[in-house]
Structures are given as structure tokens and as C-alpha cells.
Amino acid sequence: MFTLIHQDPRFYLVDKHPGASFHREGDAPGLMDALRAGLDDEALWPVHRLDRITSGLILVARSAEAARALGDALAGREVEKYYLALSDRKPLKKQGRVAGDMAKGRGGAWRLTEGRENPAVTQFFSYALEPGLRLFLLRPRTGKTHQLRVAMKSQGAPILGDALYGGSEADRGYLHAYALRFELDGERFAFVCPPLAGERFIGEACRDRLADLGEPWCQPWPGA
């Protein structure tokens, strides 16, 4: 359900596996149950969450004080988050910025609206991997529910394997929390975690492209 990536006296950083639910569902344990069981039943505070289909980096605080500090940094948009996604459809534009208010749609889905009262903001680049497949590097500047999944759909390129938003069938939902950069108690941290599950993510074309991209925070991101 998870792989421990980094251990600090103030937090754990884990790689959530795709398909793992964050919270318990009925009798099925969730990620936080698995973390507590695997980390000696230590008291833990989740700093942020990932959807079931999404794999990748999650910060978990080891004290209430660390949870407050990291939560404040997240709320203040001081935690940089970067994601990877794959789509088998061509986007409306190859790079840019998606912004708009979000409203509930049907069947648990959300939709992007033309409003700008409290917009979800996402920056992105896309790259051709092979015929009929593109890699997206995404940077959410806000933290709305399903934000990246909705942003991709709005560009006409729903995430591969994301059935809720019209993505083509695949062996997993191809969204991965790829990198984090943040500061805690005056100390800077930066982590990159390539995806390790999904035949398209671990294929040679994707691995080669990621090797060429370098660190995501060094990209010339479109204006926020």
C-alpha cells in the first residue's frame, strides 16, 4: 500500500501505491491504517491527501506541532507540488495555465466553470512520448478536490485510466505525485519520486523523457 521514502524526526514521506484508498472503507484498511500498523502504531497526522487512483508522495507529520507547521505552509502555498500524468489524447494546448472555479457535477465528479471567485489554478507542460501518448508535468497552485483530473479533462485530454472523467481504459489511473519541495524549521527539503507502477509509466519512452526533463522546479513554468 505504501513505500517509505524518507524518515525525519518531524515527518515521514511515503510513496502511496495506486489503487490504495486514503481512509478505511468498511472493513478494508486505508493508507493511514497501514502507515500506523507499519510504523509501530505511532500517532500520525496526514498533511495532505491523494485520490485512490493517484500514486506518489504524501507527507505525514509525526507530531501536532509539525502538522501545524506543514499545514500552514501548504495553506500558504509554500509547498511546491509536482505531478505526472499520461493521456492518449491531444490537449487543446501543449503548455499553459488552467484556471476556473470548480462545481460538483454528476456521479461524484467535478467540473470547471468560467467563474474566478475561488479558482483552481494549474500550470502544465506536455510532451509527446510515442504515437497516441503524451506525458504531462503538472503543477497545482491550489489544492482543490480532483483539481488535476478536472484540469486535464478541460484540455480535452483526460487522464489515461481515469474512468470518472472519461479517460481510456488502462491498467491504472495514470496520475502520480512526482515531486515535493518545502521548508520546515528553516531547513529546505526537495524530493523526486518517479512512478514505479503502471506499464506506461515504467516503459522506456516515459523513463527516457523524465531523465531528460531534470528537476521539475527548474522548468520555465507559465505565469501563475
Side-chain angles (χ1 to χ4, degrees):
M1 191 173 285
F2 74 93
T3 302
L4 183 61
I5 299 297
H6 183 82
Q7 182 173 333
D8 182 275
R10 298 156 292 182
F11 65 87
Y12 291 114
L13 186 70
V14 301
D15 177 6
K16 172 189 167 298
H17 298 171
S21 177
F22 197 85
H23 296 293
R24 175 178 290 273
E25 295 185 355
D27 294 331
L31 175 67
M32 293 306 298
D33 299 303
L35 283 171
R36 293 184 179 106
L39 299 170
D40 300 322
D41 288 324
E42 183 178 340
L44 300 171
W45 288 259
V47 177
H48 58 115
R49 293 165 174 76
L50 294 178
D51 296 339
R52 175 192 283 273
I53 73 164
T54 311
S55 59
L57 294 175
I58 287 184
L59 270 173
V60 180
R62 301 179 67 180
S63 70
E65 293 77 12
R68 280 193 295 270
L70 289 167
D72 288 346
L74 196 68
R77 303 183 185 180
E78 297 168 2
V79 178
E80 298 175 32
K81 297 186 290 184
Y82 304 88
Y83 290 72
L84 302 175
L86 295 182
S87 181
D88 59 355
R89 300 177 211 175
K90 188 176 180 181
L92 297 176
K93 52 186 178 182
K94 294 182 179 179
Q95 67 180 58
R97 177 179 178 271
V98 178
D101 290 340
M102 290 177 60
K104 287 186 177 181
R106 298 178 179 177
W110 290 75
R111 59 185 177 85
L112 203 67
T113 74
E114 295 183 358
R116 295 292 189 276
E117 292 183 11
N118 185 21
V121 180
T122 302
Q123 299 163 287
F124 73 94
F125 295 101
S126 73
Y127 312 89
L129 288 184
E130 56 190 55
L133 187 66
R134 295 190 72 84
L135 171 69
F136 291 75
L137 179 60
L138 305 157
R139 184 182 182 186
R141 304 307 296 262
T142 51
K144 311 294 185 181
T145 300
H146 291 191
Q147 175 175 326
L148 299 180
R149 298 164 70 180
V150 172
M152 291 282 289
K153 180 178 175 62
S154 77
Q155 289 299 302
I159 294 168
L160 187 64
D162 187 1
L164 181 62
Y165 289 99
S168 300
E169 185 176 347
D171 60 320
R172 62 158 292 181
Y174 276 86
L175 181 61
H176 177 77
Y178 178 52
L180 283 174
R181 192 164 69 150
F182 60 94
E183 183 175 309
L184 181 61
D185 298 331
E187 186 176 358
R188 295 286 296 177
F189 295 92
F191 300 96
V192 175
C193 176
L196 297 175
E199 59 183 47
R200 299 295 186 91
F201 265 153
I202 63 176
E204 185 177 355
C206 187
R207 288 189 285 107
D208 288 348
R209 174 62 75 174
L210 291 179
D212 290 340
L213 286 181
E215 296 175 330
W217 41 83
C218 294
Q219 301 298 317
W221 287 95

